[in-house]
Amino acid sequence: MSGQAIILNYCPRFGDHYTGTGKTTVALHRLSYLQFDQPELFRQERCLVLMFNRTLRDYVKRTSNELLGATRVDTFSAWALTALSALGVTVKTSFDDPFGAQKKNSILSALLARYVAESRKMDPVVDLWRFYTQPYLVEALFPVTREREAFVNEVGRKIDTRNRIMSFSDVSILLRLCQLRRSPEATVPGAFNFYDHIVVDEAQDFGQLELEAILAASSARRSLTVCADEKQKILSFVDAEGFANFKGALNSLGLDKETLSLSYRSAREIMELAARVSGQPVDTSKTHPGVAEFHEVRDFAEASGKLRSLIGELSGAAPQALTAVICKKKADIRLIHAALAGVTGLHDEGVITFEPGVLVVNSHQVKGLEFTNVVLWDPSESDFRQTELDRNLLYVSITRACRQIHIVHWRPLAKALRGGVPSPH
């Protein structure tokens, strides 16, 4: 299948979709096999693995050195900055962007193509700011007059002051703009028509322009492995249409779809609980047994005591295990960490490690990771509402557990969890 794109697919419209089937592992081993079987076509230094976040990147880098050798493993943002550098563009970045959500809109793909067709090449940063001034873009992204005026004024200031500071949302658009300005036959190492194979993980949370920039960075054979699970889409500002459009583009390249439908990572009871949340059936015929238990308490103080007790039991039974306490809100991490003060094996607050012990993290931090045990902290109906994104986030939190999951709660449970596993007595 060299020269073809393949999606390790979890979308219901394409068939079964289950977390825990190891899509990342399959993708990495597939790349390793291609590099071994056809080393002249899949050179390690010309392959790329793009992960969703730094935590997942660091985990994969640490565990795949022997598997992938010199292959680069990185986040999209880090790669995009080096790709821009290869294209001769240097910028300064900022996390602050009041218009970041609008810049992830999938409609930008067509608007950018129109702008390139109608305008001439200029300094890349100025080119980007000029693109932002186009009336058709402003009207499409900002239907509200007040927001439209604020955006136009902000871009005007950047042009007047020759500002080269941009957000990471800008970086994605700038990279795609620079690629479109190049001759289709050109090759730019590390940026355009270059990579023998690219693995993209958690693709459902990438914007359309990001995915198009990745595709354009691959060589003429367009060889990719794209991992996606639309039940794990957790970014509200990235519209799902962009990923759907990207899949359509891959179909035109001769896409192969592989649906992984059996779960081997998470225990049977955990996957059954996850299925309750997702509303999708799950095949647990080849999963190992485990534990999924609810623990109802009266208040935060009692929950803290129960948490310390559970951690003690889990650590005592398996001292080399890694247990994650997962909460919804980032602000709760400090409170939970303080409640666990003095517990043996408790890792520092804010540190994500894969050494044995206990971590306290929020739901957004654990995407793509796995732990021996999970304690889900008070997943209430006010935190996990009846929205698709909140259900996905709850689903992600549950399916991080391999052996055991314990739900400690005192407020009314999220509706998706009600009627789940009974509390132990």
Side-chain angles (χ1 to χ4, degrees):
M1 290 188 294
S2 64
Q4 287 187 322
I6 181 170
I7 282 189
L8 301 178
N9 181 47
Y10 291 74
C11 172
R13 291 171 294 181
F14 280 73
D16 295 334
H17 66 297
Y18 302 118
T19 293
T21 48
K23 59 184 182 295
T24 304
T25 300
V26 171
L28 296 178
H29 279 82
R30 177 176 187 262
L31 174 57
S32 180
Y33 172 76
L34 292 174
Q35 292 172 341
F36 171 80
D37 187 57
Q38 301 179 70
E40 71 286 354
L41 293 180
F42 299 96
R43 295 158 286 187
Q44 288 186 351
E45 68 278 7
R46 292 188 67 161
C47 290
L48 176 66
V49 177
L50 292 177
M51 312 307 296
F52 176 70
N53 55 35
R54 287 180 294 177
T55 301
L56 190 53
R57 175 201 63 188
D58 293 345
Y59 176 71
V60 170
K61 287 177 71 172
R62 186 176 70 88
T63 57
S64 64
N65 282 338
E66 294 185 6
L67 188 68
L68 300 178
T71 299
R72 180 177 180 179
V73 179
D74 221 328
T75 63
F76 174 84
S77 296
W79 167 73
L81 288 172
T82 59
L84 281 173
S85 180
L87 289 160
V89 183
T90 303
V91 297
K92 295 181 179 180
T93 55
S94 169
F95 288 99
D96 183 34
D97 189 347
F99 309 107
Q102 289 87 346
K103 293 173 184 176
K104 293 288 186 180
N105 195 314
S106 59
I107 197 173
L108 277 170
S109 174
L111 299 181
L112 186 61
R114 173 182 172 179
Y115 171 72
V116 170
E118 296 176 350
S119 61
R120 60 179 179 81
K121 186 176 180 180
M122 62 187 79
D123 174 84
V125 175
V126 176
D127 207 4
L128 178 65
W129 303 151
R130 292 293 181 190
F131 170 54
Y132 287 166
T133 66
Q134 302 307 302
Y136 52 80
L137 177 142
V138 177
E139 292 175 6
L141 294 186
F142 301 97
V144 178
T145 302
R146 184 174 57 185
E147 292 182 351
R148 186 184 310 151
E149 291 175 348
F151 180 74
V152 170
N153 291 337
E154 173 69 15
V155 174
R157 283 192 294 271
K158 288 180 178 292
I159 294 173
D160 292 341
T161 60
R162 299 183 180 180
N163 192 318
R164 300 184 71 86
I165 300 176
M166 60 182 56
S167 70
F168 286 98
S169 296
D170 295 320
V171 167
S172 305
I173 302 169
L174 178 59
L175 174 57
R176 187 67 188 120
L177 173 59
C178 291
Q179 290 174 331
L180 289 170
R181 290 294 191 193
R182 293 276 170 162
S183 166
E185 292 77 29
T187 297
V188 180
F192 190 58
N193 289 335
F194 175 75
Y195 289 103
D196 295 338
H197 192 85
I198 302 177
V199 173
V200 188
D201 197 37
E202 307 292 355
Q204 74 281 348
D205 276 311
F206 282 76
Q208 182 170 341
L209 281 177
E210 294 169 336
L211 293 168
E212 289 177 355
I214 294 168
L215 180 62
S218 65
S219 66
R221 290 183 296 112
R222 301 299 185 224
S223 182
L224 302 94
T225 301
V226 181
C227 304
D229 180 354
E230 288 171 298
K231 280 295 178 186
Q232 295 192 55
K233 185 181 184 303
I234 63 173
L235 298 183
S236 60
F237 52 85
V238 177
D239 66 277
E241 187 175 344
F243 180 59
N245 293 340
F246 181 68
K247 286 195 294 185
L250 293 186
N251 277 322
S252 68
L253 298 175
L255 166 69
D256 286 336
K257 294 187 294 290
E258 295 290 341
T259 298
L260 308 183
S261 58
L262 293 178
S263 173
Y264 296 103
R265 180 182 71 204
S266 297
R268 180 183 307 114
E269 293 81 358
I270 296 168
M271 292 310 303
E272 289 171 349
L273 182 60
R276 178 184 297 276
V277 171
S278 71
Q280 298 291 331
V282 62
D283 181 355
T284 59
S285 60
K286 295 186 179 181
T287 55
H288 55 84
V291 174
E293 294 182 346
F294 285 65
H295 307 268
E296 185 175 6
V297 295
R298 290 175 294 183
D299 51 30
F300 179 91
E302 191 173 328
S304 299
K306 185 62 182 179
L307 178 60
R308 293 180 69 95
S309 175
L310 284 170
I311 295 299
E313 294 173 10
L314 294 170
S315 299
Q320 295 303 307
L322 177 59
T323 297
V325 182
I326 303 177
C327 56
K328 170 70 182 296
K329 298 175 181 176
K330 190 174 182 180
D332 287 339
I333 292 177
R334 177 164 295 182
L335 294 173
I336 299 169
H337 201 272
L340 290 174
V343 168
T344 301
L346 178 64
H347 293 296
D348 292 341
E349 182 183 339
V351 173
I352 297 182
T353 177
F354 303 101
E355 299 302 318
V358 183
L359 291 174
V360 182
V361 289
N362 67 41
S363 301
H364 285 88
Q365 292 176 298
V366 299
K367 188 175 178 65
L369 306 181
E370 62 181 64
F371 309 99
T372 311
N373 311 301
V374 163
V375 180
L376 189 53
W377 180 262
D378 198 32
S380 69
E381 63 180 0
S382 60
D383 283 344
F384 292 96
R385 298 160 296 174
Q386 285 292 90
T387 67
E388 182 179 2
L389 288 173
D390 272 351
R391 283 196 301 272
N392 290 352
L393 202 56
L394 183 57
Y395 181 83
V396 167
S397 301
I398 292 169
T399 54
R400 300 311 93 195
C402 294
R403 298 287 179 180
Q404 297 192 35
I405 185 167
H406 295 267
I407 295 93
V408 176
H409 65 102
W410 66 92
R411 293 181 293 172
L413 278 170
K415 290 183 179 179
L417 289 174
R418 294 178 190 175
V421 182
S423 301
H425 294 290

